Amino acid sequence: MIDLSTRYMGIELRSPVVVSASPLQKEIANLERMEAAGAGAIVLHSLFEVQIQLESRNLDRWLEHGAESSPEARTYLADLKDYNLGPEGYLEHIERAKRAIRVPIIASLNGVSQGGWTRYARWMEQAGADAIELNLYDLAADPAVSGAEIEQRLVDLVGEVRATVRAPLAVKIGSSFSSLANMARRFDQAGANALVLFNRFYQPDFDLETLEVVRTLHLSRPEELLPRLCWVAILYGQVRADLAVTGGVHGGADVLKCMMAGARIAMTTSAILERGIEHIATMLAEARAWMEEHEYHSIAEMQGSLARWAVADRSAFERGNYMQVLSAYTFKAGVGKT
Ligand SMILES: Cc1cc2nc3c(=O)[nH]c(=O)nc-3n(C[C@H](O)[C@H](O)[C@H](O)COP(=O)(O)O)c2cc1C
């Protein structure tokens, strides 16, 4: 009997495949299908800082003007009602999800500045979320703000949310820090129980016909897994926080690789957006079949087995790899002839 269970931030999960945040999670019926397909846990779609701030700004304006004093105030009230469906609706959604399914629910809070909005982490916990994932999606586009300033702000934010909740706290980050390993340690020290590697950054494209900038969202490709595997393998054993992969997990083999690098869970979104929620069961069946064939009995047995500290050739994770990889490249027939 193969044991697919894993432990993530102190929570026992029946499988290492976790559904990462996406709008699929807005429907309770989808959560039920994810549970039925074998997901170990589910991260809900994010509640965004801007949604919360918008709500509280409208509330302040409404309180200032008085609901009955002017038609404008009535509009504020109507707006407030709409915005309330944002944050308040999110908390109700957590409650509904907890009633509907038994696998752990991780609520997602998405923002980068310190402020009152982080109190929603506590309300998410009170609504029944088993853990909180704080997504630090940010683009450092202001030349006047230094990397050190940005990084300190993010570490302080993690500390602020940590101080707000008792529930386990995961922090979802991008890879664009000058020293990722150092930032991982600082998030760890600020109280993150898990680091989720990495956010994908969505860049706009240019439409040459209309000469407009267009928003694009391409689903991930499996090769996007590689930088995540590399960094999990490097960080494993160097931080207390559990490690999770998000980005490029499309099949059972990807899940196994994540485990061997040292991750506790492998998260997936694009694969199920492409192939359907039931693809989770296929990923698990593929992982189980490989384990049977290679005589592994549990996920725990393989976790970290290919981490940087565990392998004989650590240079594969270091600068030495760079020269070797480049010089070993072989041209296709006919290409590069003089
Ligand atoms: C349509 C869509 C919506 C998403 N919404 C969120 C979100 O609300 N919060 C979040 O943290 N990540 C969100 N993500 C990112 C995913 O959770 C995930 O990290 C990313 O897609 C990489 O994983 P994948 O390669 O398995 O898709 C979204 C992704 C997609 C494709």
Side-chain angles (χ1 to χ4, degrees):
M1 183 69 180
I2 301 232
D3 178 8
L4 288 180
S5 69
T6 184
R7 208 174 157 75
Y8 182 53
M9 301 193 285
I11 306 172
E12 279 299 327
L13 307 186
R14 64 185 174 152
S15 92
V17 176
V18 169
V19 190
S20 50
S22 91
L24 277 177
Q25 281 83 315
K26 289 183 179 176
E27 298 294 330
I28 297 291
N30 288 340
L31 302 180
E32 289 168 343
R33 283 170 63 194
M34 289 166 188
E35 174 171 66
I42 300 168
V43 185
L44 296 181
H45 55 286
S46 292
L47 178 60
F48 291 87
E49 170 184 355
V50 66
Q51 274 178 287
I52 298 169
Q53 285 169 339
L54 213 51
E55 182 203 52
S56 60
R57 260 203 297 279
N58 275 279
L59 181 62
D60 291 343
R61 285 157 81 191
W62 176 60
L63 291 173
E64 218 172 89
H65 289 263
E68 302 305 325
S69 60
S70 69
E72 208 190 350
R74 275 196 289 281
T75 316
Y76 295 145
L77 185 58
D79 285 351
L80 172 63
K81 198 162 160 280
D82 280 348
Y83 293 135
N84 259 343
L85 290 179
E88 296 307 324
Y90 193 93
L91 299 178
E92 284 164 19
H93 188 63
I94 296 174
E95 288 170 357
R96 274 200 306 276
K98 285 301 292 177
R99 282 196 296 273
I101 59 171
R102 297 169 68 109
V103 295
I105 294 283
I106 302 173
S108 167
L109 200 55
N110 202 315
V112 287
S113 49
Q114 282 179 270
W117 66 277
T118 59
R119 68 185 181 279
Y120 271 86
R122 184 165 60 245
W123 293 338
M124 287 169 164
E125 182 182 24
Q126 287 166 355
D130 297 281
I132 310 293
E133 183 174 281
L134 175 64
N135 186 336
L136 301 177
Y137 187 103
D138 199 13
L139 209 59
D142 183 350
V145 184
S146 73
E149 244 175 287
I150 292 169
E151 292 175 356
Q152 189 57 50
R153 180 162 46 76
L154 296 179
V155 171
D156 289 345
L157 176 59
V158 171
E160 183 178 310
V161 177
R162 174 70 288 166
T164 310
V165 289
R166 272 199 290 267
L169 174 65
V171 179
K172 184 170 178 177
I173 57 173
S175 59
S176 305
F177 294 109
S178 54
S179 169
L180 186 60
N182 175 258
M183 281 305 284
R185 180 169 292 176
R186 288 171 67 193
F187 287 133
D188 191 36
Q189 288 165 347
N193 302 105
L195 298 174
V196 182
L197 314 183
F198 293 120
N199 266 319
R200 292 177 76 230
F201 282 85
Y202 303 106
Q203 294 90 3
D205 199 354
F206 298 158
D207 184 325
L208 289 180
E209 293 309 315
T210 61
L211 298 184
E212 281 173 354
V213 177
V214 281
R215 291 194 175 88
T216 59
L217 195 166
H218 299 291
L219 296 178
S220 75
R221 306 304 328 144
E223 53 271 22
E224 292 181 37
L225 185 64
L226 297 186
R228 278 105 179 150
L229 283 183
C230 179
W231 276 103
V232 168
I234 289 173
L235 293 177
Y236 182 78
Q238 301 208 76
V239 287
R240 273 174 317 179
D242 288 343
L243 298 166
V245 170
T246 179
V249 176
H250 284 247
D254 300 329
V255 176
L256 295 170
K257 289 178 188 179
C258 293
M259 299 301 108
M260 290 180 190
R264 294 296 181 105
I265 59 166
M267 294 184 170
T268 188
T269 285
S270 292
I272 62 171
L273 288 176
E274 262 169 1
R275 300 175 193 211
I277 290 172
E278 284 64 33
H279 183 62
I280 296 167
T282 309
M283 290 166 84
L284 288 170
E286 287 168 356
R288 201 179 279 114
W290 187 93
M291 288 171 73
E292 256 161 26
E293 197 182 325
H294 294 81
E295 298 181 2
Y296 278 87
H297 300 103
S298 69
I299 286 290
E301 245 176 288
M302 68 177 71
Q303 267 162 340
S305 58
L306 290 182
R308 182 196 189 199
W309 299 113
V311 295
D313 181 14
R314 290 181 194 165
S315 70
F317 297 109
E318 291 160 7
R319 188 180 150 79
N321 182 45
Y322 171 67
M323 216 172 65
Q324 283 166 4
V325 165
L326 298 186
S327 51
Y329 183 80
T330 46
F331 292 111
K332 272 192 231 158
V335 176
K337 271 192 188 155
T338 52

